[in-house]
Amino acid sequence: MKTMKQIAMLLLFAFFGAGAVLAQGTVTGTILDSETGEGLEGATVLLEGTSRGAFTDYAGGFEFSAPEGSYTLVVRYIGYASFEQEIQVSGTTDLGTLKLQNNDIGVDGVEILASLAQDRKTPVAVSSIDARTIEEKLSNKEFPQILQSTPSIYTTRSGGGFGDARINVRGFDQRNTAVLINGIPVNDMENGWVYWSNWAGLADVTRTIQIQRGLGASKLAINSVGGTINIVTKATDMEAGATARYAIGNDGYMKFGGTVSTGRLDNGFAITVSGSRTVGNGYVDATWIDAYNYFASVAKDFGDKHQLVFTAIGAPQRHGQRTFREGLTTYVPYADTTQSYDDYIGGLTTADVDERMDGDGFQYSASGNIRYNSDWGLRGGDIFSIRENFYHKPQLALNHYWTLNEDVSIKTSGYYSIGRGGGTGDRGSIGGLGTWGYRDQNGIIQVDRIMAWNQGADNLEGFPAQGNQVVPASGLPGDQAGFVATERNGLVKRASMNEHNWLGVLSTANIGLSENIDLTAGIDLRRYVGLHYRRLDDLMGNDYWLDPRDVNQQSVRIDANGDGVIDSREEGFLNNHTGRATSQNQKINYDNDGVVGWQGAFAQVEVTPFDDFNFFVAASGSNTSYKRIDRFNYLAGTTSTDTTFGETSKTFNIFGYNAKAGANYNLNNYHNVYFNTGYYSRAPIFDAIFPFFTNEPSLDANGDITPNEKTFAVELGYGLRTEMVSANVNLYRTSWIDKTFFRRYTSTTTGLDFTANLTGLNAIHQGIEIDGAIKPVSGLTIRAMLSIGDWQWVNNVNAIISDENDVVLDTVTTYTAGLKVGDAAQTTGSIGIDYELPFGLKLFATGNYAGNLYAQFDPESRTSPDDAGVQAYELPSFFVVDAGAFYNWSLEKLDIGFNLNVNNVFDELYVQEANDNPTANDLSDLSGFFGFGRTWSLGVVFRYR
C-alpha cells in the first residue's frame, strides 16, 4: 500500500510539472559534444542578463520562452569551454545544433584508456552518469548509490559506515565487476574487492561514470564477469577558474572544499588542484567520519604530437564501522503474534523505531533501534569504536599522449599506488569471551569495565571474579611489574593492516589500417605486493600484549593466568607498542605478503564496412603469477619445496584469456540493434591458491591447483532515439563455470578440521533490461527502468577432500541445483521525474524498487541432503523515493548553485541485506541490516570563470 502511494505522488509530480510548462518554449536548439557528436545532458543555456534559460535534456535539446529582442546566448557545461552567440528572438527561434569544445586537457586520451562505449556504435549494454547528475543527486549518499537507478544494479550501505557500501551488477558482486579510474584498475589484486572508503570524495572530481554491464567494451586483459565501471575524473582545465562548495546534512554531516585551475599558461602548462574535507557523526551509531580528499592534475604540451598529463588522487580517512549483523529483531523488536514479522515491518516507518538516548554531547541508540550498533562502547563518557577503518591510498599517474600522424596514436599511462591502513577489532578474551560478551543493558560494550578487569579489578558483575593478575618484574623486561594480556587472558584492540605497493603500465596504440578498419592493441603490466599484518591499536589498560604466533620470536615465557603452567599461548614475544608498526617486532598475530604479477596483452579490430554498420573482434591474454611470503609461520630465510613449506612459497603462473565479438547496426536515425558474445578463462584469485593462511597451496587429488573459472556470455540489444524518446532493451545470458568456493569443516571420519576447496559449481545469470526517458513537453523529463533477472546455481557438486599425502579424508556434496543467487535484488525498477523551470530551478524525484531479493548464503554450506531445493529466504520488496531541488543563479563571471536533497522521503522501513537461515520460518529468524531512514543534505557551490 505504501508503495502505491509513493508511485502516486511521483505521478502527481509529473502531472503538475507538465501543466506548469505547457506554456513554455520559443527558443530551441541542441547542444552536442564537438568530438563525439553526442548530446550533452544537463548543460546550462541562458540569455545573459536575464533569468531566461533551461538545462538540456538527455539528447542535448533545450527549449524556453523569452520576450522578443536581441540577446547573448551563453552555454555552460562542466568540463567544456563556455560558448556564446548573439541571437535574435522573434516568435519561435530554432538555433539548430551548437557544439561545445572539451575543456579538459587530455581527457580524450583518458577516455580511450578507459575504453568508454559510444552510443549507437559500441555493441554493449551501457549507462552513463555525468558530473551534473552527481552534483545534483548524490547528496550525502555513498558514491556507488548514484548508479542505483540503472538496470540490474543493486547497492546497499551494508553496516552504514562511511565508504562501506557495496554494489552488485547482474547478481555479481564487486569481486567480479571491474572498477577502473581513468582506465586504471583498482580492484584488490588478491581478492578482487573494491573498498569505496579508499575513494572518499571521488564524487567531487568525477567527470563521468559509465557502467558497462556484461562483457563491456574494455580492451584490457581483464575478465570481469558482471561488468565494468569506468570512472573518469576531471582533467586539467584549459580555462582559468575556481570553485568552492559547502554542504551540511543530517547527523552532523558537513563537507567543504574547492578547486582552482590556472588554465593553459603561456609556457604550455596548465594546473588544476582540488581538495575537500568531510566530517560527521554518521546515521548509524558510532559511524563517525573524518575524511579528506585531494586531486591534482598538471598538463604540458610538447609541440603538436606530444602531451604529458600528471594526476594525483587520494583520500586519507578514518571512520567508525558496524560490521556485525545482529538478528533483525534486535533492531526492530517483535512481539505481535497476530501477523508475520514481514507484515509487521511493512506497517512501520523508521521513525517508529528511532528513539535515541542522550550521551555526553551526542545521542545514541539502545537495541531496538535501526541505528543500533553493537561494535562500540563508552570510555570515560566518549565514543570508543571497537570497529574502525582507516586508510590512505594515493594513486599517481603519468599519461603520455603521442600522435604520430592522423592514423596512428599511442596513449600510455604509468601509475603507482601506495595503500596504507586497515581495520580494527578486538583480540584476546576474558573468560573465553570477546568484547561482544560484555555489553550493558542497552547492548553497548562496557569498555570501562573491561579496562578495569584488565587492570586487576575483582568481582565485576558479569566478569570472571578474579581480575587480571600483575606479572612481577622478574617475568618482564625492565624493572616494572605490569598487566599482561594474552590470547586467553585479557582484551586489547588490534588493527588488521591490509597495505600494498602497486606499480603498473598501460599502453594502447590506435592504428587506422584503412578508412574502414581500425586496430587497437596494447599491453597491461602490473606488479602488486600486498602487506598483511596486525598491530596493537589500544592496550585497553594493559601494559603488555604477549603474542605467541611468530615462530621466530619465542623468547618470553609468562604464566599470565597464574595457574603454574606455561601453555602455548603464554610463550612468545612481548609487545607494548601501539600505533604504526615501525619494526618487525611490533607486529602481532600474523605477518605475510602476497606478491602478484600480471602481464597482459590485448588487441581489437573494428570494421565499419558502411556508415550504419560496424563490428569488432577482440582478444586478450594474461599471465598471473602468485607468491606468498610468511614471516610468522615459518623460520626466516627458508623457501618452499614440493615437500616442505618455508618463509617464501613457490611461485605459481596461471594463464588466462578472453575472446569476444560484437556488431551494431543502425537501422535508421531512430533504431539500432546490437549483438555481442564472448568467452573468458580467468585465473583464480590469490586467496583461492593460498586459502589456508599458510604457504601451502590448494591442490586437488591430482596435485593440480585450482582451475580457471570460465564464463560464456551472449547479449542482444535494441535502441530507440527520437527527439522525444530514448529507450534501450537488453537480453543477456551469462554462464559462470567452475566457480571456486572454500569451506571450513570437520571431517566426519577423523574429527579434524580442514578447508575444502570446492570447484565445478556453475551458475546461470540471465534476464531482460529496459530503460528509457521521455520528454512529453518542454522542461519535463520522465525516466524509467525495469530489469528482471533469473540468477541461479544450476548443479550440485561432489568434492573429494584429500590431505597433503593424497589420502582421501572425506567427500562433500553441495546441494545447490536450482537455488537462487542471493544478496542482490533480481528484479529492480525505477521511475524518475526531472522538471526544469525557465529561471534556473530544477525539481526532481526518483523512486527505486527492489524485489526478488534473497538472503545471502554460501553455496558451499548447503551440504545436507535436506538442503536440496530449499531456497534462501526471500526478503520483502521495497520502494524508496528520493527527491530534491537544484537552483542555478548565473552572473557575468559567477555561477551559484544551491541544492537540497531528501533521501527516503517517505521514511520507508526495509531490510537491505540479511544472512540466510535454512531453518527460518519467518524474517524474524534472520540477521542483517535495515536501510537508512529519511536523511537530507543542503549545499551551495560557487563557480568563478
Side-chain angles (χ1 to χ4, degrees):
M1 183 62 70
K2 286 193 297 182
T3 297
M4 294 303 297
K5 290 180 180 179
Q6 293 162 0
I7 294 175
M9 290 292 289
L10 286 175
L11 294 177
L12 282 172
F13 184 95
F15 176 80
F16 286 113
V21 297
L22 283 173
Q24 306 302 317
T26 55
V27 180
T28 65
T30 303
I31 308 300
L32 303 180
D33 183 303
S34 62
E35 295 182 7
T36 67
E38 295 182 2
L40 296 177
E41 180 180 6
T44 301
V45 183
L46 186 71
L47 298 183
E48 191 174 53
T50 76
S51 60
R52 301 288 181 170
F55 297 117
T56 54
D57 60 22
Y58 58 86
F62 65 88
E63 183 177 336
F64 61 90
S65 64
E68 293 186 356
S70 300
Y71 298 93
T72 300
L73 182 83
V74 180
V75 182
R76 300 191 184 103
Y77 189 69
I78 297 173
Y80 287 78
S82 299
F83 175 88
E84 295 185 3
Q85 178 177 312
E86 299 300 320
I87 67 169
Q88 182 71 34
V89 176
S90 178
T92 299
T93 303
D94 185 359
L95 301 178
T97 297
L98 308 176
K99 296 185 177 181
L100 296 190
Q101 297 287 335
N102 202 303
N103 188 41
D104 289 351
I105 299 175
V107 74
D108 55 339
V110 169
E111 290 177 348
I112 290 173
L113 289 170
S115 302
L116 295 188
Q118 297 184 38
D119 189 40
R120 290 172 53 86
K121 183 177 182 182
T122 310
V124 298
V126 61
S127 300
S128 298
I129 309 292
D130 60 22
R132 182 62 175 271
T133 302
I134 296 171
E135 180 176 289
E136 292 175 354
K137 298 181 179 180
L138 181 59
S139 179
N140 52 1
K141 295 188 293 185
E142 296 288 340
F143 188 74
Q145 289 184 284
I146 196 66
L147 297 169
Q148 65 187 352
S149 297
T150 55
S152 297
I153 301 295
Y154 186 69
T155 67
T156 83
R157 301 184 76 154
S158 294
F162 184 88
D164 293 340
R166 66 179 180 86
I167 184 171
N168 290 61
V169 182
R170 288 183 175 174
F172 298 100
D173 65 20
Q174 296 176 155
R175 287 182 291 264
N176 299 289
T177 300
V179 178
L180 310 176
I181 297 180
N182 294 332
I184 297 172
V186 299
N187 298 72
D188 189 291
M189 288 198 65
E190 293 176 276
N191 59 31
W193 200 250
V194 178
Y195 303 92
W196 293 102
S197 58
N198 296 348
W199 306 102
L202 185 62
D204 296 344
V205 296
T206 295
R207 186 177 185 273
T208 186
I209 308 171
Q210 189 177 88
I211 171 72
Q212 300 171 6
R213 302 180 298 277
L215 298 178
S218 174
K219 304 176 185 69
L220 292 177
I222 56 176
N223 303 308
S224 54
V225 181
T228 304
I229 300 175
N230 287 299
I231 302 170
V232 176
T233 66
K234 299 173 183 176
T236 313
D237 290 339
M238 287 191 291
E239 295 181 334
T243 301
R245 63 183 71 243
Y246 178 77
I248 58 173
N250 57 279
D251 299 291
Y253 174 86
M254 182 174 66
K255 181 175 182 177
F256 54 90
T259 301
V260 177
S261 297
T262 65
R264 192 187 297 274
L265 303 175
D266 292 340
N267 58 8
F269 277 96
I271 303 171
T272 297
V273 178
S274 179
S276 68
R277 187 186 183 195
T278 304
V279 296
N281 300 323
Y283 179 83
V284 173
D285 290 341
T287 55
W288 47 269
I289 173 64
D290 190 0
Y292 296 83
N293 177 71
Y294 59 86
F295 170 84
S297 181
V298 181
K300 177 70 167 71
D301 287 337
F302 297 88
D304 296 332
K305 294 187 175 182
H306 296 275
Q307 184 182 81
L308 284 177
V309 178
F310 171 79
T311 60
I313 185 172
Q317 58 82 31
R318 191 175 188 114
H319 71 274
Q321 294 184 293
R322 178 177 63 172
T323 60
F324 186 74
R325 293 183 177 185
E326 298 280 353
L328 293 175
T329 55
T330 301
Y331 305 108
V332 180
Y334 172 63
D336 186 352
T337 58
T338 63
Q339 59 181 329
S340 70
Y341 191 59
D342 303 49
D343 292 337
Y344 176 70
I345 288 175
L348 301 176
T349 66
T350 61
D352 297 319
V353 281
D354 196 19
E355 183 177 348
R356 312 193 79 191
M357 305 168 58
D358 289 326
D360 186 8
F362 60 93
Q363 288 190 313
Y364 66 98
S365 313
S367 56
N369 186 308
I370 65 166
R371 300 178 187 243
Y372 169 66
N373 181 1
S374 62
D375 291 328
W376 73 286
L378 293 170
R379 182 164 76 173
D382 296 326
I383 293 175
F384 183 80
S385 297
I386 296 295
R387 293 284 185 175
E388 299 177 40
N389 177 271
F390 55 98
Y391 217 83
H392 183 201
K393 178 186 168 66
Q395 185 187 85
L396 313 176
L398 180 63
N399 294 350
H400 176 231
Y401 307 125
W402 182 15
T403 304
L404 284 76
N405 52 55
E406 62 180 9
D407 294 322
V408 181
S409 64
I410 300 175
K411 280 76 176 175
T412 302
S413 178
Y415 60 92
Y416 187 57
S417 176
I418 311 163
R420 294 294 182 267
T424 67
D426 61 8
R427 187 69 184 166
S429 65
I430 296 176
L433 303 176
T435 55
W436 48 267
Y438 298 100
R439 298 176 183 163
D440 64 18
Q441 69 276 12
N442 295 315
I444 308 302
I445 296 172
Q446 303 176 76
V447 179
D448 287 336
R449 291 165 67 83
I450 290 172
M451 294 181 63
W453 192 95
N454 283 339
Q455 295 177 327
D458 296 329
N459 301 315
L460 295 173
E461 183 179 356
F463 286 72
Q466 184 176 0
N468 198 12
Q469 301 298 296
V470 172
V471 175
S474 59
L476 298 173
D479 299 327
Q480 299 294 319
F483 295 101
V484 177
T486 70
E487 292 184 346
R488 295 175 180 171
N489 197 73
L491 282 165
V492 298
K493 182 180 175 182
R494 52 78 183 162
S496 299
M497 312 299 288
N498 183 19
E499 304 179 336
H500 67 256
N501 300 316
W502 185 346
L503 177 66
V505 175
L506 172 64
S507 186
T508 300
N510 301 92
I511 304 171
L513 299 179
S514 70
E515 183 178 352
N516 300 320
I517 303 176
D518 292 319
L519 169 66
T520 301
I523 57 173
D524 176 13
L525 307 176
R526 310 176 216 168
R527 187 178 190 274
Y528 176 100
V529 180
L531 315 172
H532 317 292
Y533 62 92
R534 278 183 174 167
R535 61 165 175 77
L536 293 173
D537 194 72
D538 195 306
L539 282 163
M540 297 182 67
N542 293 290
D543 297 304
Y544 298 94
W545 168 262
L546 180 64
D547 189 75
R549 300 287 178 169
D550 186 355
V551 300
N552 295 287
Q553 299 193 79
Q554 297 285 307
S555 59
V556 178
R557 304 174 79 242
I558 295 177
D559 183 12
N561 58 11
D563 63 359
V565 178
I566 303 296
D567 63 34
S568 62
R569 296 293 181 262
E570 296 178 318
E571 184 174 10
F573 187 81
L574 209 59
N575 195 331
N576 68 348
H577 179 85
T578 59
R580 182 169 176 260
T582 57
S583 64
Q584 184 64 31
N585 60 16
Q586 292 166 355
K587 300 175 182 179
I588 67 170
N589 200 202
Y590 60 81
D591 178 25
N592 59 77
D593 298 345
V595 183
V596 183
W598 177 282
Q599 305 87 40
F602 54 90
Q604 173 177 298
V605 175
E606 184 174 6
V607 181
T608 308
F610 49 90
D611 289 342
D612 294 325
F613 177 73
N614 68 286
F615 67 90
F616 78 91
V617 177
S620 72
S622 63
N623 177 70
T624 306
S625 62
Y626 295 135
K627 180 174 69 175
R628 190 177 187 275
I629 301 171
D630 192 322
R631 287 173 284 272
F632 265 41
N633 286 322
Y634 305 97
L635 295 177
T638 58
T639 302
S640 296
T641 68
D642 290 332
T643 56
T644 62
F645 302 102
E647 178 185 24
T648 302
S649 77
K650 297 177 63 177
T651 299
F652 295 89
N653 289 281
I654 306 169
F655 182 73
Y657 61 91
N658 71 45
K660 51 189 178 180
N664 178 82
Y665 178 43
N666 294 330
L667 303 174
N668 52 38
N669 291 334
Y670 307 109
H671 306 276
N672 73 289
V673 292
Y674 76 83
F675 163 82
N676 69 52
T677 186
Y679 182 83
Y680 290 171
S681 178
R682 183 176 69 169
I685 62 175
F686 182 94
D687 293 346
I689 303 300
F690 297 104
F692 310 120
F693 304 105
T694 68
N695 287 350
E696 178 183 0
S698 175
L699 303 176
D700 62 19
N702 298 319
D704 298 323
I705 61 174
T706 301
N708 284 12
E709 294 181 356
K710 276 79 72 175
T711 302
F712 175 71
V714 61
E715 186 165 346
L716 294 171
Y718 162 76
L720 170 66
R721 301 291 185 271
T722 70
E723 186 175 334
M724 181 180 294
V725 178
S726 171
N728 305 286
V729 180
N730 305 298
L731 296 170
Y732 67 91
R733 180 182 172 89
T734 302
S735 300
W736 198 7
I737 306 166
D738 284 340
K739 178 73 177 74
T740 299
F741 282 101
F742 303 95
R743 180 170 182 261
R744 190 75 174 176
Y745 82 106
T746 301
S747 171
T748 58
T749 56
T750 67
L752 299 176
D753 288 336
F754 290 90
T755 300
N757 184 355
L758 308 178
T759 61
L761 189 58
N762 304 330
I764 294 291
H765 291 240
Q766 59 187 356
I768 182 172
E769 300 165 339
I770 306 170
D771 69 289
I774 182 172
K775 184 179 179 181
V777 291
S778 175
L780 179 66
T781 302
I782 301 174
R783 308 172 194 275
M785 175 275 293
L786 176 66
S787 58
I788 302 173
D790 178 16
W791 314 327
Q792 58 181 289
W793 304 101
V794 297
N795 65 319
N796 298 328
V797 175
N798 296 312
I800 298 176
I801 311 303
S802 304
D803 64 13
E804 65 273 15
N805 297 316
D806 292 336
V807 176
V808 175
L809 301 174
D810 213 337
T811 59
V812 172
T813 300
T814 65
Y815 296 91
T816 47
L819 300 187
K820 296 286 189 177
V821 174
D823 216 24
Q826 302 205 17
T827 300
T828 58
S830 175
I831 180 170
I833 300 160
D834 292 2
Y835 167 38
E836 302 169 4
L837 286 87
F839 52 86
L841 177 64
K842 181 177 183 180
L843 304 175
F844 49 84
T846 303
N848 290 297
Y849 170 83
N852 291 331
L853 170 59
Y854 295 87
Q856 190 275 335
F857 73 99
D858 293 324
E860 73 273 19
S861 68
R862 303 297 182 121
T863 56
S864 169
D866 295 336
D867 294 332
V870 179
Q871 295 288 357
Y873 195 92
E874 185 176 352
L875 307 181
S877 60
F878 57 88
F879 184 78
V880 175
V881 175
D882 300 334
F886 183 86
Y887 176 68
N888 189 73
W889 181 27
S890 294
L891 303 175
E892 184 175 350
K893 289 187 173 293
L894 180 68
D895 283 347
I896 306 175
F898 302 90
N899 66 291
L900 170 66
N901 297 84
V902 181
N903 306 310
N904 195 355
V905 173
F906 298 100
D907 209 26
E908 176 86 359
L909 179 66
Y910 63 97
V911 180
Q912 63 175 353
E913 57 184 54
N915 292 332
D916 186 48
N917 178 356
T919 63
N921 296 313
D922 191 75
L923 186 65
S924 60
D925 295 323
L926 305 186
S927 60
F929 294 125
F930 285 85
F932 282 21
R934 186 183 297 117
T935 60
W936 62 274
S937 69
L938 178 66
V940 60
V941 58
F942 301 88
R943 289 193 179 86
Y944 178 77
R945 301 174 300 282

